[in-house]
Amino acid sequence: MKFTPEHKALRKTVRDFVEKELNPYIDEWEEAGEYPIHEVFKKLGNLGLLGIQKPEEYGGMGLDYSYNLVAAEEFGRTLCGGVPLSIGVQTDMCTPAIARFGSDELKRDFLAPAIAGDMVGCIGVSEVGAGSDVAGLKTTAKKDGDDYIINGSKMWITNSPKADFICLLANTSDDKPHKNKSLIVVPMNSPGISFSNHLNKLGMRSTETAQVFFDDVRVPQRNRIGAEGTGFMMQMMQFQEERMWAAANMILALEGCVEKTIEYCRERKTFGQPLIDNQVIHFCFAELQTEIEALRALTYEACELHVNGKDATRLASMAKLKAGRLGREVTDSCLQYWGGMGYMWDNPLSRAYRDVRLASIGGGADEIMLGIICKMMGTLPGKRKD
Ligand SMILES: Cc1cc2nc3c(=O)[nH]c(=O)nc-3n(C[C@H](O)[C@H](O)[C@H](O)COP(=O)(O)OP(=O)(O)OC[C@H]3O[C@@H](n4cnc5c(N)ncnc54)[C@H](O)[C@@H]3O)c2cc1C
């Protein structure tokens, strides 16, 4: 990937934003279990950072995905995983399908305000009984005149308690599971929507996550994104950007863990010498940094394919898989060298250890990525090429 001066300028803008507007408040937000999302999104919107890749006519910058990737990477410098996740939901999870397939009206009513930071969005795919198996979801949107009536529930929905709209995947017919789904934009103030209490999570503490219930929620059919029955396909496309975003966001977060731990190991002495002077320890940092560079190369390669209009599914799935696995390896290895300090709740490595764990579960678990990679390698039973 060749980065231009414009990529570098964008990197600096995001880096400055993280340093000035996010990091000084992260401890407070993690403790509170929430952050002022509308306020933060408005500031991001004013800088154009919520619409990097979105069309200019709706307030976006109209740049290609490589710029989005650079921003995702830089948001990895945030001193927690929760706030970047929440931003990624807005930019790369609940708005790509609206931008690509939505009507002008949907773009005007939901995309433009999301880009400006005037509206917070969330993505509603997972359900209690259908996380990995997206095709098995049960929420329905049944036609009634010009409207849909929605019934069901969505589980673990990031940003939902403060969101203004949800990009909802629901069954709109009794056709086969891959052909009966549509993506529908539902305003969160619609009568019939209610929430569980905030879910008490292992990590990502500063984001709000809840179960969302739909009880006879009426929404106009014109809020459907694209043609009826194409929601599953659109969501699978939307997942590609979500997965590249997740991989890119991991890179600098993990480098930060290694850097902080090196610093600590230079200071901390055992048996009369700094921890870092033990070969087992400095070799470990060399191994981890090598792996991080490998993640970076893989993620950039996936991005390059995507930018060039080629199918990045295979490499994006590999990058997501690698990010999840490496996130666990780096945070676990680094936490070890902080000893008892690393086991304390407020220690930066302890937070990273908890936050990165989601990467192997959310947005398609490691095993789902392996299944996709196998399918593309032609090694899945029933799909073998020979
Ligand atoms: C903090 C948080 C935030 C989230 N935010 C959102 C959100 O904003 N919107 C949204 O829609 N969803 C969200 N999710 C949901 C997330 O995407 C799902 O949890 C994820 O897709 C896994 O689904 P599941 O939990 O139902 O696990 P299951 O499908 O029950 O799978 C459990 C485990 O089994 C394994 N497994 C599953 N299938 C296979 C298989 N075929 N072969 C081998 N192993 C397998 C995997 O290891 C998986 O982790 C969030 C989840 C969390 C925890």
Side-chain angles (χ1 to χ4, degrees), residues 85 89 93 121-134 154-160 166-167 169 199 201-204 207-210 235 239 242-243 328 355 357-358 360-368 370-371:
L85 168 68
V89 164
M93 302 179 207
C122 60
I123 175 78
V125 175
S126 307
E127 300 183 1
V128 170
S132 302
D133 184 10
V134 173
K154 293 288 169 182
M155 185 58 172
W156 305 291
I157 305 305
T158 305
N159 291 350
S160 59
I166 184 166
C167 178
L169 190 63
L199 301 173
K201 310 187 293 287
L202 174 71
M204 304 295 194
T207 48
E208 294 170 76
T209 315
Q235 185 51 39
F239 271 143
E242 169 169 349
R243 288 166 188 165
R328 291 152 75 179
D355 286 354
R357 193 61 184 83
L358 179 62
S360 281
I361 297 171
D366 286 358
E367 293 79 2
I368 302 307
L370 287 167

Side-chain angles (χ1 to χ4, degrees), residues 50-106:
L50 297 177
I52 293 168
Q53 193 213 352
K54 300 292 189 313
E56 286 173 278
E57 59 178 310
Y58 298 100
M61 290 190 191
L63 297 168
D64 70 43
Y65 194 78
S66 64
Y67 291 86
N68 228 32
L69 185 100
V70 159
E73 215 182 322
E74 287 298 326
F75 279 120
R77 293 183 191 274
T78 311
L79 297 175
C80 71
V83 174
L85 168 68
S86 166
I87 296 167
V89 164
Q90 179 93 347
T91 56
D92 286 63
M93 302 179 207
C94 73
T95 50
I98 309 179
R100 199 172 282 132
F101 301 108
S103 64
D104 284 343
E105 197 177 353
L106 278 183

Side-chain angles (χ1 to χ4, degrees), residues 141-304:
K142 295 203 164 136
K143 285 196 184 102
D144 183 52
D146 291 338
D147 296 338
Y148 283 121
I149 309 280
I150 300 169
N151 280 289
S153 68
K154 293 288 169 182
M155 185 58 172
W156 305 291
I157 305 305
T158 305
N159 291 350
S160 59
K162 289 198 182 126
D164 300 290
F165 69 87
I166 184 166
C167 178
L168 180 86
L169 190 63
N171 293 327
T172 43
S173 80
D174 297 327
D175 206 339
K176 290 188 186 128
H178 296 99
K179 293 189 173 166
N180 71 346
K181 295 181 175 43
S182 301
L183 277 175
I184 304 167
V185 184
V186 184
M188 291 299 261
N189 61 2
S190 308
I193 294 186
S194 60
F195 301 90
S196 69
N197 288 336
H198 290 192
L199 301 173
N200 191 12
K201 310 187 293 287
L202 174 71
M204 304 295 194
R205 302 289 299 180
S206 44
T207 48
E208 294 170 76
T209 315
Q211 187 172 6
V212 187
F213 302 96
F214 300 84
D215 184 11
D216 284 337
V217 175
R218 186 175 282 276
V219 61
Q221 282 183 41
R222 63 172 185 276
N223 279 27
R224 191 188 60 236
I225 304 173
E228 196 167 80
T230 58
F232 187 84
M233 178 273 293
M234 286 179 201
Q235 185 51 39
M236 292 303 123
M237 285 177 81
Q238 200 159 237
F239 271 143
Q240 298 317 317
E241 297 190 349
E242 169 169 349
R243 288 166 188 165
M244 281 188 283
W245 186 94
N249 190 241
M250 190 68 88
I251 299 167
L252 291 176
L254 297 187
E255 266 186 10
C257 290
V258 173
E259 281 162 16
K260 281 189 200 91
T261 310
I262 289 176
E263 221 172 284
Y264 181 74
C265 290
R266 283 192 208 284
E267 299 290 320
R268 181 79 178 170
K269 290 199 172 97
T270 60
F271 306 101
Q273 65 169 357
L275 280 175
I276 191 86
D277 286 356
N278 293 284
Q279 191 185 60
V280 69
I281 297 184
H282 56 251
F283 271 21
C284 172
F285 295 134
E287 294 268 8
L288 296 178
Q289 190 60 45
T290 305
E291 291 294 312
I292 294 169
E293 293 301 346
L295 172 64
R296 177 179 272 127
L298 182 54
T299 308
Y300 285 5
E301 184 79 16
C303 175
E304 204 162 6

